[in-house]
């Protein structure tokens, strides 16, 4: 294995992503690295390998704590509580007083035992995968539980849970119309949550859903239908008091997801588990990207033997950095740009702004997308690639 490089320039502690590759059942749109949760020996082998990888990374990079930890999957909540407790106990020594610790939760996994395990752990933020509250859509996606069951479980959970809560919804799904999405959105916004993510369906070629659409048995909404639905959703969210701080993310003031901000700001994070990806930022603006195998069996045999690293530098690193910054409402900050990429010609971004005055805006702090530009970044980013090729 190529050893990960330690953080070399930022004073902020790194982040940690943990991929739990188990699910009760697989959603039709999913092509993530997941396996059946029913094999307890495989889960224990996975946890043993996870402990090994965590010990290696924290020892080699001299990490005493993480700024944020995010446990995703898969469905981390489908782990038996005693195994989830093992995972959380391994993470606990690297959690400081201010560490944000998030875990994805499928509402239909929520039991009193699971909730007690979470309440007594270092987790202080839940990311609840609702996706849709339309039973017809849920059936097509093979999401477990009816809309009524999800509403009941989440409502009870929010009474008992004393941490932060984010909810995930999706749009652009088969049979989903504007009324369907707005009903889900309006229902969720009545809950006492602090954060909401609204993602457009990405049709993965290898997913069962893609096969059904290819066969003609299902149809996706048209671009016009999606655009109309999206703009209605934007209006609903704007009236809710939540602020849009990234292309697909809204939060109450001060409740933004710090973990995702590490990604968007291209800071350093470590990825544990099958298919996880990490990123080490260097002082010269380059990155070392770390990849774990997506073969869960191979990972369980030796997590360090089947990982590899790749350097991202020069124009590739610069493009990634600008692209990720423009996804956020804060945008690209001059102070950070000068520190990371002083080689960028100042006139290049001015040329980009001149070409896209309705999409981008510039001031003394930096360059950022306008409110409408956040929805239309492809054009500016394509031109940015062309401009970078010319320097």
């Amino acid at each position: 294995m190529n050893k990960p490089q330690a953080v070399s320039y930022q004073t902020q502690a790194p982040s940690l992503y943990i991929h739990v590759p188990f699910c009760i059942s697989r959603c039709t749109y999913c092509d993530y690295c997941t396996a059946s949760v029913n094999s307890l020996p495989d889960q224990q082998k996975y946890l043993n390998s996870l402990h090994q990888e965590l010990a290696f990374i924290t020892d080699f990079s001299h990490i005493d704590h993480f700024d944020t930890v995010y446990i995703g999957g898969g469905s981390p909540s489908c782990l038996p509580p005693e195994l989830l407790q093992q995972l959380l106990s391994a993470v606990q020594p690297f959690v400081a007083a201010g560490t944000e610790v998030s875990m994805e939760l499928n509402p239909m996994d929520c039991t009193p035992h699971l909730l007690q395990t979470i309440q007594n752990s270092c987790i202080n933020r839940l990311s609840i995968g609702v996706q849709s509250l339309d039973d017809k859509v849920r059936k097509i996606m093979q999401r477990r539980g009816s809309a009524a069951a999800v509403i009941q479980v989440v409502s009870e959970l929010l009474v008992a849970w004393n941490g932060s809560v984010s909810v995930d919804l999706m749009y652009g799904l088969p049979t989903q119309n504007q009324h369907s999405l707005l009903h889900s959105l309006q229902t969720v916004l009545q809950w006492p949550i602090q954060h909401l993510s609204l993602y457009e369906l990405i049709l993965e070629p290898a997913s069962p859903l893609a096969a059904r659409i290819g066969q003609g048995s299902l149809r996706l909404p048209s671009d016009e239908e999606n655009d109309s639905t999206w703009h209605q959703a934007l209006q609903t969210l704007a009236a809710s008091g939540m602020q849009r701080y990234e292309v697909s993310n809204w939060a109450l003031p001060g409740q933004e997801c710090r973990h995702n901000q590490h990604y968007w700001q291209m800071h350093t994070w470590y990825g544990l588990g099958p298919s996880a990806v990490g990123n080490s930022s260097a002082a010269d603006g380059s990155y070392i990207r770390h990849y774990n195998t997506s073969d869960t069996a191979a990972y369980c045999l030796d997590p360090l033997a089947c990982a590899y690293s790749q350097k991202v530098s020069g124009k590739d690193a610069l493009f990634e950095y600008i692209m990720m910054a423009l996804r956020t409402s804060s945008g690209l900050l001059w102070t950070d740009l000068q520190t990371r990429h002083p080689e960028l010609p100042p006139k290049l971004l001015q040329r980009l702004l001149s070409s896209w005055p309705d999409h981008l805006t510039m001031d003394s702090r930096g360059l950022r997308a306008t409110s409408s530009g956040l929805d239309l970044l492809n054009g500016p980013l394509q031109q940015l690639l062309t401009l970078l090729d010319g320097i």
Side-chain angles (χ1 to χ4, degrees), residues 244-317:
R244 189 183 189 187
Y245 72 103
E246 193 269 346
V247 170
S248 303
N249 287 273
W250 286 257
L252 296 177
Q255 296 293 325
E256 297 83 1
C257 178
R258 279 170 35 207
H259 184 84
N260 284 346
Q261 288 177 322
H262 273 259
Y263 297 155
W264 300 323
Q265 295 168 5
M266 298 304 294
H267 286 171
T268 292
W269 71 86
Y270 295 91
L272 303 186
S275 79
V277 178
N279 184 75
S280 296
S281 296
D284 64 357
S286 66
Y287 314 110
I288 303 295
R289 199 66 42 78
H290 311 290
Y291 300 91
N292 277 355
T293 179
S294 58
D295 184 335
T296 300
Y299 176 85
C300 290
L301 285 175
D302 188 341
L304 305 182
C306 49
Y308 68 97
S309 299
Q310 185 177 47
K311 185 171 184 177
V312 181
S313 60
K315 297 175 183 177
D316 291 336

Side-chain angles (χ1 to χ4, degrees), residues 28-290:
T28 58
Y29 57 83
C30 178
D31 75 341
Y32 289 173
C33 174
T34 62
S36 171
V37 76
N38 297 321
S39 176
L40 193 60
D42 285 349
Q43 292 176 54
Q44 188 62 63
K45 289 178 183 177
Y46 155 77
L47 287 171
N48 294 343
S49 293
L50 194 74
H51 292 178
Q52 180 184 351
E53 190 180 15
L54 177 62
F56 173 79
I57 286 175
T58 52
D59 179 63
F60 180 82
S61 297
H62 309 292
I63 296 171
D64 60 1
H65 76 280
F66 293 102
D67 182 60
T68 69
V69 177
Y70 192 99
I71 305 169
S75 297
S77 56
C78 78
L79 286 175
E82 60 274 15
L83 294 186
L84 179 60
Q85 181 59 56
Q86 282 187 39
L87 189 159
L88 297 173
S89 295
V91 172
Q92 178 65 59
F94 305 100
V95 173
T99 300
E100 175 191 88
V101 186
S102 305
M103 189 185 85
E104 292 180 354
L105 182 143
N106 186 315
M108 303 318 296
D109 292 332
C110 199
T111 63
H113 192 181
L114 175 67
L115 181 58
Q116 182 181 28
T117 299
I118 295 172
Q119 291 275 39
N120 294 334
S121 74
C122 55
I123 294 170
N124 49 38
R125 183 177 183 275
L126 292 177
S127 180
I128 303 177
V130 171
Q131 316 310 356
S132 175
L133 291 173
D134 182 324
D135 281 329
K136 186 175 181 181
V137 174
R138 293 184 64 83
K139 184 176 180 180
I140 289 172
M141 294 193 298
Q142 293 185 9
R143 294 291 297 179
R144 287 184 289 131
S146 66
V150 169
I151 291 171
Q152 180 178 348
V153 168
V154 174
S155 298
E156 294 173 355
L157 171 65
L158 292 174
V159 172
W161 173 245
N162 55 15
S164 298
V165 175
S166 178
V167 168
D168 283 4
L169 290 175
M170 296 177 67
Y171 76 102
L173 301 166
T175 75
Q176 185 187 53
N177 55 29
Q178 188 174 114
H179 173 77
S180 170
L181 175 64
L182 292 181
H183 168 70
S184 296
L185 185 56
Q186 290 162 355
T187 301
V188 166
L189 289 173
Q190 292 174 11
W191 297 337
I193 63 173
Q194 295 77 39
H195 188 283
L196 186 137
S197 300
L198 178 57
Y199 298 114
E200 183 176 10
L201 170 71
I202 297 176
L203 190 63
E204 301 292 352
S207 67
L209 183 60
R212 290 191 63 184
I213 290 171
Q215 294 163 1
S217 60
L218 285 175
R219 176 184 85 82
L220 293 177
S222 67
D223 290 342
E224 292 76 14
E225 290 171 322
N226 265 347
D227 287 345
S228 176
T229 298
W230 175 250
H231 285 101
Q232 286 296 315
L234 290 181
Q235 293 179 26
T236 300
L237 284 158
S240 73
M242 287 199 176
Q243 298 177 358
R244 189 183 189 187
Y245 72 103
E246 193 269 346
V247 170
S248 303
N249 287 273
W250 286 257
L252 296 177
Q255 296 293 325
E256 297 83 1
C257 178
R258 279 170 35 207
H259 184 84
N260 284 346
Q261 288 177 322
H262 273 259
Y263 297 155
W264 300 323
Q265 295 168 5
M266 298 304 294
H267 286 171
T268 292
W269 71 86
Y270 295 91
L272 303 186
S275 79
V277 178
N279 184 75
S280 296
S281 296
D284 64 357
S286 66
Y287 314 110
I288 303 295
R289 199 66 42 78
H290 311 290

Side-chain angles (χ1 to χ4, degrees), residues 334-350:
W334 299 138
T335 52
D336 197 39
L337 176 64
Q338 185 60 33
T339 299
R340 297 200 195 193
H341 293 284
E343 76 280 6
L344 180 66
K347 292 184 178 180
L348 186 145
L349 293 179
Q350 184 63 55

